[in-house]
Amino acid sequence: MMFQQWELVEQVQRLVLLINMAQKFNTEFNYRYQVIGNTPWERIKTLKGFLEGRIRAQALEECGKLKFKAKLAKLKHLQNSGKGLEHEILELKAEILEAESHEETLKEAFELTKDEIKILKKLLKELYVIAEPTRIKGYTDEEMFEANAANEFTVDMGREIQAEMIANGRPSAARIRNAMSNPHTWNALKQIGLIPEKTKILEGNINPQLKIALKGVEDENI
């Protein structure tokens, strides 16, 4: 009895997962304006991840159809062979009825998934028009994502600091500390005026045996 209960729970969980993976998660507005990424290459990276997930979800439609056909074939075999136990036949009929009851919901969900795939492909096409001229010769998308990482981080830090200054009048200490982690970001923030121009990043001695001391590092030496 306990085994049957767990089996039922697993079936329900699989069905919920199937419906959730198939249904439309985002609108075109969200994909265009709300997804992670301040630069074209980073947005391409994010949208490609979404597209891969939706394509996998679409593949589940065919998997679901095949599994349903398999249940029907199994039921037919059990009934015609005369070897099927009554409880096995009843359980299989119940599974088939349950699957049929969710058929319309799944059908609608998969249609929404197809629409979402069209939206993602359209947005990616638009982004590639912008990003492709900046591709480093011979670089793959993954290599361009890495090459763009510092640029994306800098824009992200700049916008976060700008938002905090608008809302609170000053950036948070944690945000400034994070910006210090990348010298290119730090210098860009100083050049745009978000960080005082004469501010220097502190560093200690490389050799721990020397006297403990701090010094400000010039921008060109960072």
Side-chain angles (χ1 to χ4, degrees):
M1 180 66 71
M2 184 64 70
F3 176 77
Q4 290 178 341
Q5 289 177 342
W6 277 111
E7 192 176 42
L8 179 60
V9 169
E10 289 178 355
Q11 289 175 359
V12 172
Q13 289 175 337
R14 284 197 296 270
L15 181 61
V16 170
L17 178 63
L18 185 64
I19 294 174
N20 286 340
M21 287 191 71
Q23 67 186 352
K24 187 176 180 181
F25 277 170
N26 284 299
T27 63
E28 181 173 347
F29 176 86
N30 287 338
Y31 277 133
R32 188 179 290 276
Y33 299 110
Q34 299 296 313
V35 298
I36 295 172
N38 298 287
T39 56
W41 282 113
E42 188 67 18
R43 293 177 67 81
I44 287 173
K45 179 181 177 181
T46 302
L47 292 182
K48 282 184 71 175
F50 277 111
L51 180 59
E52 289 171 4
R54 308 324 291 150
I55 289 174
R56 287 199 301 271
Q58 189 180 34
L60 292 176
E61 180 177 14
E62 187 61 26
C63 293
K65 289 178 180 178
L66 292 173
K67 288 182 178 179
F68 185 72
K69 288 180 180 179
K71 288 182 184 295
L72 292 175
K74 184 177 179 180
L75 178 62
K76 184 177 179 181
H77 171 73
L78 291 176
Q79 291 175 326
N80 294 340
S81 66
K83 297 180 180 180
L85 299 176
E86 183 180 6
H87 74 278
E88 291 179 335
I89 293 175
L90 291 174
E91 285 177 358
L92 197 52
K93 283 183 176 180
E95 290 177 12
I96 291 171
L97 285 172
E98 184 180 13
E100 288 176 336
S101 70
H102 295 288
E103 185 176 356
E104 286 302 314
T105 302
L106 284 172
K107 184 179 179 181
E108 181 183 3
F110 283 121
E111 287 301 318
L112 291 173
T113 298
K114 291 175 183 177
D115 292 341
E116 194 167 359
I117 289 173
K118 291 178 182 178
I119 291 171
L120 286 165
K121 286 183 175 180
K122 182 182 75 170
L123 295 178
L124 280 167
K125 185 177 180 180
E126 292 176 7
L127 283 169
Y128 273 117
V129 170
I130 300 170
E132 200 60 46
T134 70
R135 185 188 295 275
I136 300 170
K137 187 176 180 180
Y139 270 41
T140 64
D141 280 4
E142 288 297 326
E143 289 171 325
M144 284 305 303
F145 299 154
E146 181 61 32
N148 183 62
N151 183 41
E152 171 66 25
F153 178 76
T154 299
V155 178
D156 184 57
M157 281 295 100
R159 288 182 174 178
E160 289 286 354
I161 289 173
Q162 183 183 37
E164 289 179 343
M165 292 179 71
I166 292 171
N168 305 320
R170 60 182 178 82
S172 66
R175 194 73 61 195
I176 296 298
R177 178 67 182 85
N178 198 11
M180 288 179 177
S181 65
N182 185 285
H184 304 291
T185 300
W186 183 253
N187 290 336
L189 292 173
K190 290 173 70 172
Q191 289 169 9
I192 201 67
L194 290 176
I195 301 293
E197 187 177 352
K198 295 183 178 180
T199 306
K200 297 179 180 179
I201 293 179
L202 298 177
E203 74 171 16
N205 288 320
I206 297 175
N207 188 343
Q209 298 182 67
L210 298 177
K211 180 182 177 181
I212 295 176
L214 293 171
K215 62 179 180 180
V217 183
E218 299 295 335
D219 289 348
E220 60 267 20
N221 296 326
I222 295 180

